[in-house]
Amino acid sequence: MSDVIEQEPLLAVSDLGVDYGTGRRRHRAVEDVGFEIPVGRTLGLVGESGAGKSTIGKAVLGLVPVAAGTIRFEGRDLARLSRRERLALGARRQVVFQDPYSSLDPTRTIGYTLAEPCRSAPRPDRMTPQQITERMGALLSRVGLAPDAAERYPAQFSGGQRQRIAIARSLMLSPRLIVCDEPVSALDLSVQAEVLNLLAEVQRDLGLSLLFISHDLTVVRHISHEIVVLRGGHVVERGPADRVYEYPEDPYTQALLASAPVPDPEQQQLRRDARRALAEQEG
């Protein structure tokens, strides 16, 4: 029976609709969005600001209400769960936010921040203080930091190190899914690669599934198995990461690719020309 369950996608989103506002000011930010994430795989959500990427991530985490469609996690419809059941499943869905500077409380030590998910976990999942300390040390080592980092404050770390700490915090409760909401957009290019490689390594070692959100198609391609391209809350293209990146079919996806910076000046000029041509076609 367990083998059958594992063959099901860990996360299945179907015909998702999310509204913002109330009454006549209600606005549908996401409409008819669907995708699946198998166990141990990464799905990239890519699109410009306002495309609905972060809204979908929040819906998956249970932070915004679902107006239409379903979100099934571990085979269970999240909208039909009791509060206790949602809290229990919440421990298995974690998040890494965009800004490594604002996502960590500057007045608290790293150890306090890492232990915070454990303090709010459902009672059966709570660890003893000794277990928390041991897990913090193990996870800090896993993300490339010394265990004594737990005694220091966020201001004593670089942006890349802070994002490593955020990844360690997301792993404290042994989740099965991590929503990565623009986790490298605030970092330098060289640091971006380090963090992406760390996420891929952690995923491989722990069998995690990732929902990776970004505006940068190049970044998404680097870490994703499948890509879903969003525009105005709608899906305009989807497919295997290499296919969507190498042979984008929708003009919007082509424009996203053309807008991604590359180190080669001649290649960059070609992309500018392509972006200009696409804009003229749409105009």
Side-chain angles (χ1 to χ4, degrees), residues 100 104-117 119 136 140 145-157 161-162 164-166 168-169 172:
L104 302 177
D105 188 339
T107 67
R108 301 290 189 179
T109 65
I110 298 305
Y112 184 94
T113 297
L114 290 182
E116 193 169 14
R119 290 190 291 270
M136 281 193 298
L140 285 170
L145 296 172
D148 64 6
E151 304 169 8
R152 298 158 63 186
Y153 289 84
Q156 297 174 267
F157 297 92
Q161 289 173 324
R162 294 187 198 192
R164 289 173 180 269
I165 292 166
R169 176 176 60 184
M172 283 294 293

Side-chain angles (χ1 to χ4, degrees), residues 103-196:
S103 64
L104 302 177
D105 188 339
T107 67
R108 301 290 189 179
T109 65
I110 298 305
Y112 184 94
T113 297
L114 290 182
E116 193 169 14
C118 304
R119 290 190 291 270
S120 58
R123 190 169 299 278
D125 295 328
R126 291 183 187 174
M127 293 181 275
T128 66
Q130 181 178 349
Q131 289 173 324
I132 292 174
T133 300
E134 291 174 353
R135 183 152 183 80
M136 281 193 298
L139 288 176
L140 285 170
S141 296
R142 174 176 281 277
V143 300
L145 296 172
D148 64 6
E151 304 169 8
R152 298 158 63 186
Y153 289 84
Q156 297 174 267
F157 297 92
S158 67
Q161 289 173 324
R162 294 187 198 192
Q163 205 61 308
R164 289 173 180 269
I165 292 166
I167 293 170
R169 176 176 60 184
S170 74
L171 297 173
M172 283 294 293
L173 295 179
S174 301
R176 300 192 70 196
L177 172 73
I178 297 181
V179 176
C180 302
D181 191 357
E182 298 270 13
V184 298
S185 63
L187 305 176
D188 294 337
L189 288 178
S190 60
V191 181
Q192 283 186 13
E194 293 176 1
V195 173
L196 290 174

Side-chain angles (χ1 to χ4, degrees), residues 8-10 72-77:
E8 297 180 357
L10 179 68
R72 298 182 67 85
F73 180 71
E74 296 183 339
R76 306 170 73 182
D77 185 349

Side-chain angles (χ1 to χ4, degrees), residues 240-262:
D242 288 342
R243 199 280 297 163
V244 172
Y245 184 85
E246 298 290 349
Y247 307 104
E249 297 175 354
D250 191 88
Y252 178 71
T253 310
Q254 296 169 12
L256 280 178
L257 182 60
S259 67
V262 293

Side-chain angles (χ1 to χ4, degrees), residues 3-248:
D3 292 339
V4 175
I5 293 175
E6 282 300 307
Q7 295 304 315
E8 297 180 357
L10 179 68
L11 180 72
V13 176
S14 178
D15 302 322
L16 179 65
V18 179
D19 293 344
Y20 284 137
T22 58
R24 293 182 178 179
R25 295 186 177 181
R26 185 181 299 273
H27 165 68
R28 178 139 297 186
V30 171
E31 187 165 17
D32 295 330
V33 169
F35 56 82
E36 295 181 350
I37 306 181
V39 174
R41 306 286 281 183
T42 298
L43 182 130
L45 282 181
V46 63
E48 294 176 300
S49 177
K53 310 182 301 297
S54 293
T55 297
I56 293 171
K58 291 176 182 177
V60 168
L61 293 166
L63 300 179
V64 296
V66 172
T70 59
I71 300 176
R72 298 182 67 85
F73 180 71
E74 296 183 339
R76 306 170 73 182
D77 185 349
L78 297 182
R80 297 180 179 275
L81 300 180
S82 67
R83 182 176 181 276
R84 178 179 297 179
E85 290 172 324
R86 286 197 301 271
L87 287 174
L89 281 184
R92 298 200 283 277
R93 292 171 292 144
Q94 295 295 312
V95 61
V96 175
F97 293 106
Q98 173 180 358
D99 188 355
Y101 295 94
S102 63
S103 64
L104 302 177
D105 188 339
T107 67
R108 301 290 189 179
T109 65
I110 298 305
Y112 184 94
T113 297
L114 290 182
E116 193 169 14
C118 304
R119 290 190 291 270
S120 58
R123 190 169 299 278
D125 295 328
R126 291 183 187 174
M127 293 181 275
T128 66
Q130 181 178 349
Q131 289 173 324
I132 292 174
T133 300
E134 291 174 353
R135 183 152 183 80
M136 281 193 298
L139 288 176
L140 285 170
S141 296
R142 174 176 281 277
V143 300
L145 296 172
D148 64 6
E151 304 169 8
R152 298 158 63 186
Y153 289 84
Q156 297 174 267
F157 297 92
S158 67
Q161 289 173 324
R162 294 187 198 192
Q163 205 61 308
R164 289 173 180 269
I165 292 166
I167 293 170
R169 176 176 60 184
S170 74
L171 297 173
M172 283 294 293
L173 295 179
S174 301
R176 300 192 70 196
L177 172 73
I178 297 181
V179 176
C180 302
D181 191 357
E182 298 270 13
V184 298
S185 63
L187 305 176
D188 294 337
L189 288 178
S190 60
V191 181
Q192 283 186 13
E194 293 176 1
V195 173
L196 290 174
N197 289 336
L198 173 61
L199 283 169
E201 176 186 323
V202 168
Q203 178 186 46
R204 182 180 63 250
D205 293 347
L206 302 180
L208 294 171
S209 299
L210 302 180
L211 176 59
F212 192 94
I213 297 168
S214 177
H215 65 279
D216 190 329
L217 189 55
T218 302
V219 168
V220 170
R221 184 256 190 131
H222 181 81
I223 195 171
S224 302
H225 298 95
E226 185 178 5
I227 292 176
V228 171
V229 182
L230 294 167
R231 183 182 190 185
H234 294 81
V235 175
V236 297
E237 187 164 353
R238 76 179 71 211
D242 288 342
R243 199 280 297 163
V244 172
Y245 184 85
E246 298 290 349
Y247 307 104

